[in-house]
Amino acid sequence: MPENRPFVLTIAGFDPSGGAGVLADCKTFEQHHVAGLAINTGNTIQTEKEFFEIEWTSLDFVLRSIKTLFGNYNIRVVKIGIVPSLHYLKEIVFNIKELSSTTQIVWDTVLKSTTEFDFITIENKSDLIEILAKIDLITPNYNEVKKLFPDFDFDESQLDRQIPTAILLKGGHNNKAIGTDYLYSQNDFFVLTPNNTKCYAKHGSGCVLSSAIAANLALGQDLKSACVNAKNYIEKYLNSTSTLIGYHYVQ
């Protein structure tokens, strides 16, 4: 039982390549010196290059797992990855907050795989807003944010008056400013510029970034610092190899 490391839980899919999902999350947690716990939302058949299929874990099994872990560990932050539906996500989020209202939640808004396999569709925006009100941060890229909020103008003057959570808008798909991220909260707006725009693409980089943020939050960092430090970590990870799978022990 770790005495000095805070507990962080990932609720995400299992990727046998280790580049994404709970394996990537736990690798990231270990490098940040937090105690990682994991619940599997679905078993996938995939490589770092191609996604084939998924078998989802029953919601009841996931909820029982959450109840057991929260009954035995003081979990400071939860990172959520792939889920099959908004209802599935809502049950997870609401159960976490019922068990521990102070636990922070980071949702990596994975809506489809890089090979165009859809995980979740957004059909009811009122349900989405209700869920987001219980979440502390979401980490969409430009493609995902258009599906989540097609009518929202991400402008500094707007902030997130219509969206009840903090948003880290990742810049990997922003052709106008590659690698520049934008952090929105109800009271602040920050531009996070890259240290290096010449990076190698990585399978599961969004998983690694969101789990690094979760780890930093569990270590007591404020939201901006957690995102900035996670950005530094992911840049080193992206450049650790020239392949789609990176090394988590990076200098």
Side-chain angles (χ1 to χ4, degrees):
M1 178 74 68
E3 295 183 359
N4 299 317
R5 294 189 177 192
F7 287 99
V8 185
L9 169 63
T10 171
I11 304 176
F14 177 82
D15 169 13
S17 79
V22 294
L23 288 179
D25 293 339
C26 286
K27 292 175 186 178
T28 305
F29 292 158
E30 185 64 22
Q31 290 301 316
H32 285 78
H33 303 289
V34 299
L37 307 171
I39 296 174
N40 180 15
T41 58
N43 286 312
T44 73
I45 300 176
Q46 64 177 305
T47 67
E48 73 274 21
K49 297 179 181 179
E50 189 172 1
F51 190 98
F52 296 95
E53 61 181 283
I54 186 169
E55 289 187 357
W56 294 106
T57 306
S58 73
L59 177 59
D60 183 64
F61 189 89
V62 170
L63 296 180
R64 295 202 312 272
S65 300
I66 291 171
K67 183 177 180 180
T68 298
L69 292 182
F70 271 86
N72 286 274
Y73 306 100
N74 178 21
I75 300 171
R76 293 189 185 178
V77 184
V78 175
K79 174 266 171 101
I80 300 175
I82 59 169
V83 291
S85 68
L86 278 184
H87 171 71
Y88 197 105
L89 176 64
K90 181 177 180 180
E91 289 296 313
I92 289 173
V93 169
F94 277 60
N95 270 267
I96 290 169
K97 288 299 186 179
E98 184 176 342
L99 290 166
S100 175
S101 60
T102 60
T103 297
Q104 294 178 278
I105 298 176
V106 176
W107 178 29
D108 180 21
T109 54
V110 183
L111 305 183
K112 64 168 56 181
S113 71
T114 53
T115 51
E116 302 303 308
F117 182 96
D118 289 318
F119 295 122
I120 182 174
T121 56
I122 308 300
E123 297 177 349
N124 190 319
K125 288 302 173 65
S126 61
D127 282 351
L128 176 62
I129 294 301
E130 185 180 11
I131 296 167
L132 293 180
K134 299 284 188 178
I135 292 176
D136 297 275
L137 175 71
I138 61 174
T139 59
N141 60 36
Y142 272 74
N143 296 331
E144 291 162 345
V145 84
K146 290 176 183 177
K147 291 194 172 186
L148 289 170
F149 316 110
D151 301 322
F152 189 80
D153 180 18
F154 280 83
D155 181 90
E156 181 179 355
S157 63
Q158 296 285 338
L159 296 178
D160 67 337
R161 301 292 185 237
Q162 303 171 41
I163 303 172
T165 186
I167 304 161
L168 179 67
L169 181 56
K170 297 179 293 190
H173 292 80
N174 180 8
N175 293 326
K176 295 181 180 178
I178 291 292
T180 298
D181 304 336
Y182 300 92
L183 178 60
Y184 301 80
S185 71
Q186 290 189 335
N187 299 309
D188 293 299
F189 170 79
F190 301 103
V191 179
L192 309 183
T193 56
N195 295 307
N196 186 355
T197 57
K198 295 181 179 179
C199 294
Y200 296 101
K202 290 289 179 289
H203 167 59
S205 58
C207 300
V208 174
L209 176 65
S210 58
S211 56
I213 294 170
N216 289 333
L217 289 172
L219 291 168
Q221 298 176 20
D222 60 61
L223 183 58
K224 180 187 177 184
S225 297
C227 291
V228 168
N229 290 329
K231 186 173 182 64
N232 292 334
Y233 182 83
I234 193 66
E235 287 184 0
K236 294 176 182 178
Y237 174 72
L238 292 174
N239 283 319
S240 63
T241 69
S242 60
T243 67
L244 289 173
I245 296 291
Y247 298 139
H248 282 263
Y249 182 74
V250 289
Q251 298 296 330

